[in-house]
Amino acid sequence: MKKIKDMSCAELCVLLQRLVSESILASRERLLVLLSEHSSPKNRERLETEFREFFCGYESLALWLEEYEEDPLDGLDMHTSVAKKLKRHREYILTNRKTTLEERMVRRMGGYLKSDPMPEKKIAELPEAEYRKLLHALVNQELFIVHAKVTLLLKENLPYQKLSEAFREFFVAYELLELALEDYHYDPDEGLELRPEVAERLEQSVAEIEAGTAEVIPLEEVARV
């Protein structure tokens, strides 16, 4: 990903529009509806199906954001209320985060590096009350508050500074969601048949990341897909 300071106003606007259009946001709305219903085996089944979509949406969002390596606070006026809030959030994230970027990338491919043991808590095996509590926490993450704010901002003709601030706020909110999932194991493909060649490629990708030889696809190329 280009550094934010090197992006034009138009490029930053396109990136933000892409982020707020991700499928996780629509999936979150459907989860809210399901969580408002009474608990039942049928409801649990529907929640699990929709949560798979939610998690895949999170993985898709990560593809856009995991290359962002700048300090999201860099360049902000730290006297503003937004900057102060982001500073608190970042301190919380950095204090509580247990994984590296490489470890999180491998997790999103369904694997774990040797340095990152699989969490004991498996989302698919959580008791009903704990499962619903986790989902409630996830759908009420800061990301969705920021999403609504950024969506409204994009309807205005904003200067670069405001767009830059909006991206940083969105990114930090994404990190909070990522952190909320860190203590849990979840494989959206669990129970689904994986073709042998796909499984082999995933194993190879994990090995390449561990060896430091993985090829990173630039964000600009991903955007063309």
Side-chain angles (χ1 to χ4, degrees):
M1 177 186 287
K2 280 185 179 180
K3 289 186 176 181
I4 297 303
K5 63 183 180 182
D6 294 333
M7 284 189 179
S8 68
C9 197
E11 287 175 321
L12 193 48
C13 188
V14 168
L15 174 59
L16 283 169
Q17 288 173 337
R18 183 68 180 84
L19 293 174
V20 299
S21 299
E22 279 295 325
S23 62
I24 187 175
L25 305 161
S27 182
R28 180 250 185 179
E29 296 300 318
R30 294 191 292 270
L31 278 176
L32 282 170
V33 172
L34 291 171
L35 287 168
S36 69
E37 299 175 0
H38 291 297
S39 176
S40 68
K42 182 65 175 178
N43 176 260
R44 173 67 181 245
E45 181 182 343
R46 293 171 66 193
L47 280 172
E48 289 177 349
T49 299
E50 191 55 54
F51 181 71
R52 181 181 292 113
E53 296 298 319
F54 180 92
F55 191 86
C56 289
Y58 150 70
E59 292 179 314
S60 178
L61 194 61
L63 285 175
W64 292 94
L65 295 173
E66 63 191 11
E67 290 184 44
Y68 182 67
E69 298 177 350
E70 297 171 75
D71 180 351
L73 303 182
D74 187 33
L76 287 179
D77 178 358
M78 297 309 296
H79 295 94
T80 65
S81 58
V82 170
K84 290 177 181 178
K85 180 188 75 172
L86 295 186
K87 184 175 184 293
R88 290 194 302 271
H89 286 337
R90 281 288 289 170
E91 288 173 349
Y92 174 79
I93 291 163
L94 296 177
T95 298
N96 292 281
R97 180 182 277 161
K98 306 179 187 72
T99 56
T100 65
L101 174 59
E102 285 187 342
E103 288 168 346
R104 294 191 295 278
M105 289 172 68
V106 171
R107 282 189 179 200
R108 286 191 281 270
M109 291 191 293
Y112 291 88
L113 294 178
K114 294 176 182 177
S115 58
D116 179 33
M118 180 189 295
E120 294 183 5
K121 294 181 181 179
K122 297 183 178 181
I123 291 179
E125 297 177 3
L126 291 176
E128 182 67 9
E130 192 175 349
Y131 182 73
R132 291 176 70 91
K133 181 179 179 181
L134 173 63
L135 264 57
H136 271 292
L138 293 175
V139 298
N140 286 293
Q141 281 285 310
E142 177 81 5
L143 177 68
F144 304 108
I145 298 172
V146 174
H147 165 262
K149 176 181 176 181
V150 174
T151 300
L152 289 175
L153 287 175
L154 287 172
K155 295 179 181 179
E156 305 175 21
N157 187 21
L158 294 174
Y160 172 85
Q161 183 179 355
K162 286 293 184 182
L163 290 173
S164 174
E165 184 179 275
F167 171 80
R168 296 163 196 268
E169 195 170 359
F170 192 96
F171 178 78
V172 172
Y174 152 78
E175 286 191 308
L176 286 170
L177 173 63
E178 189 175 53
L179 184 64
L181 288 163
E182 190 174 61
D183 288 334
Y184 296 90
H185 166 73
Y186 181 73
D187 181 359
D189 297 322
E190 191 171 345
L192 302 178
E193 185 176 354
L194 198 62
R195 297 197 309 274
E197 62 270 22
V198 176
E200 182 180 352
R201 178 55 191 156
L202 286 175
E203 290 178 3
Q204 182 181 344
S205 296
V206 172
E208 288 173 352
I209 290 175
E210 287 188 320
T213 59
E215 180 181 357
V216 177
I217 302 174
L219 180 68
E220 291 80 3
E221 291 186 21
V222 176
R224 297 193 194 107
V225 177

